[in-house]
Amino acid sequence: MRIDRRLFLAGVASCASGAALAQTDWTREAVPAYTPLHLVLGLHKHWTLPRAEAFLAAAQRLVERLDRPSWGEAMLLWERLAMPALGPVVARRSLRQIDFAPSRPALIARAVQAAPRELAALERIGTPAKGLPALEQLLWQQRPLSEAERRYAQLLAEELLNEARALQAGFAALAAREAEDWSEEDALAGTSELLNQWVGGVERLRWAQMEKPLRSGSKDALPRATSGLTAAAWAAEWQSLRGLALFEGRQAPAPGAGLVPLETYLRGRGRNAVADALRNTVLAADAKLQGLSPAKPQPVLAAAKALEALKRLVQDQVAPALDLSLGFSDADGD
């Protein structure tokens, strides 16, 4: 269990260091007037592509090692890429393809018995018996893997690697687009996608990942319950949502030269009051999300309540300030 604790602490420490570094000199130095184009350029060059590359590298290590630490690393890097679900993650329905939950132990056992020999044979096996959750079930069982289970787990890891390659290629193509390659409509659609999926991500973390499983009374309903990495997964997801919301540096990036978080984007449009409200609400949620444990439901439910307040703020104030419509549904990205 040592590696589990290390992964958990790494996620928490990352969030904590972000909070400590959250500084902004926007009151002293003018924030550029960003356009939707600047937002999508920064998003894909400085956020989605590096995360897709990190997930790809972790998936490669999982194939090579096929052990618990490599699974934990790949899972956390996947959470950081897929929260919120953007671009190729949505287009490829990757959440369903490689992270369908809950997994079905009976289907996994049946799939092991079927003994598929190549990746093409996995197409005949349902998603509840594949992907990260199925690998978690296999790698965290109480006895060593049988030869048949290991062969099946190896195929699942290779399928995961193929998906990671496709996602990296998709995000690389987006990051390679220069300013002249984006139409005004495409850039605006990218901005709208970011805000919609960000709100959807907040809601998925609040309800699907935290509140719903806790209120069900079944520990098995919690995400990553089998591996004991539930809290680490929550921390990784929140880290991504927070990073896309708040400005963490001291000087806002030049247009097209860096990630433009929602707070900075609002300030660039002169909506400082809304930006302040967003910042304060995110930091309030951040405080509630520190040090959570599924063994202590009340703090988790308090964090979920803070996420609900954050979602409401973005719906009521941020989206109108950016002249964007929210049309997210729970089915998006799934």
Side-chain angles (χ1 to χ4, degrees):
M1 296 302 292
R2 187 176 180 181
I3 185 65
D4 300 350
R5 180 173 173 76
R6 179 176 62 79
L7 289 165
F8 168 73
L9 292 176
V12 172
S14 180
C15 286
S17 65
L21 292 172
Q23 302 283 325
T24 175
D25 282 351
W26 67 270
T27 56
R28 297 184 179 182
E29 299 179 27
V31 177
Y34 301 107
T35 67
L37 174 63
H38 301 140
L39 189 144
V40 295
L41 286 174
L43 175 67
H44 293 302
K45 290 182 186 295
H46 300 281
W47 183 271
T48 59
L49 179 57
R51 277 162 173 71
E53 290 174 337
F55 175 55
L56 173 57
Q60 181 65 58
R61 286 190 287 274
L62 178 59
V63 168
E64 294 167 357
R65 300 170 186 171
L66 200 61
D67 58 12
R68 293 179 178 182
S70 57
W71 180 91
E73 179 191 34
M75 181 274 290
L76 291 177
L77 289 170
W78 160 249
E79 299 283 21
R80 289 168 186 153
L81 170 65
M83 181 63 85
L86 296 168
V89 173
V90 176
R92 296 184 56 80
R93 300 178 66 82
S94 300
L95 287 171
R96 181 176 182 82
Q97 294 299 322
I98 64 173
D99 202 13
F100 183 91
S103 59
R104 306 279 175 78
L107 289 182
I108 295 172
R110 199 179 307 162
V112 170
Q113 281 189 331
R117 294 187 175 279
E118 67 282 333
L119 287 176
L122 289 181
E123 295 177 2
R124 296 191 294 273
I125 293 174
T127 51
K130 299 195 295 183
L132 283 165
L135 276 166
E136 181 184 24
Q137 293 290 328
L138 289 166
L139 293 174
W140 261 269
Q141 63 184 6
Q142 295 302 311
R143 55 175 175 73
L145 291 174
S146 67
E147 185 175 340
E149 288 169 337
R150 176 161 290 279
R151 282 200 302 269
Y152 182 63
Q154 190 70 45
L155 271 182
L156 295 186
E158 290 172 10
E159 186 177 58
L160 188 78
L161 177 59
N162 277 357
E163 186 65 20
R165 285 179 176 136
L167 291 172
Q168 188 276 337
F171 283 117
L174 286 171
R177 294 174 69 176
E178 299 298 338
E180 57 271 21
D181 299 323
W182 290 86
S183 68
E184 186 175 341
E185 292 76 15
D186 286 347
L188 187 58
T191 302
S192 179
E193 179 191 44
L194 172 61
L195 190 67
N196 274 272
Q197 294 297 80
W198 190 89
V199 172
V202 170
E203 178 62 9
R204 192 159 68 245
L205 176 58
R206 178 195 75 82
W207 176 246
Q209 304 285 316
M210 290 180 164
E211 194 167 344
K212 182 180 178 182
L214 282 178
R215 293 193 184 284
S216 76
S218 172
K219 293 182 179 179
D220 292 341
L222 287 162
R224 322 307 180 189
T226 302
S227 61
L229 291 175
T230 299
W234 286 340
E237 292 177 5
W238 173 243
Q239 181 193 36
S240 285
L241 294 168
R242 185 187 189 284
L244 286 170
L246 296 191
F247 177 57
E248 305 284 8
R250 296 194 61 81
Q251 185 171 359
L259 177 71
V260 182
L262 295 173
E263 176 195 359
T264 312
Y265 192 57
L266 284 162
R267 297 197 192 286
R269 296 170 68 91
R271 305 306 297 266
N272 287 318
V274 180
D276 288 344
L278 175 64
R279 184 172 191 85
N280 291 336
T281 309
V282 169
L283 290 178
D286 192 66
K288 296 287 186 183
L289 279 143
Q290 299 303 313
L292 295 179
S293 166
K296 297 179 179 178
Q298 289 309 314
V300 178
L301 294 175
K305 190 174 182 179
L307 290 173
E308 171 69 23
L310 176 58
K311 184 186 74 169
R312 195 176 308 118
L313 172 86
V314 175
Q315 288 175 328
D316 295 345
Q317 298 187 41
V318 175
L322 297 178
D323 296 322
L324 293 173
S325 299
L326 291 177
F328 179 85
S329 76
D330 286 342
D332 289 345
D334 189 2

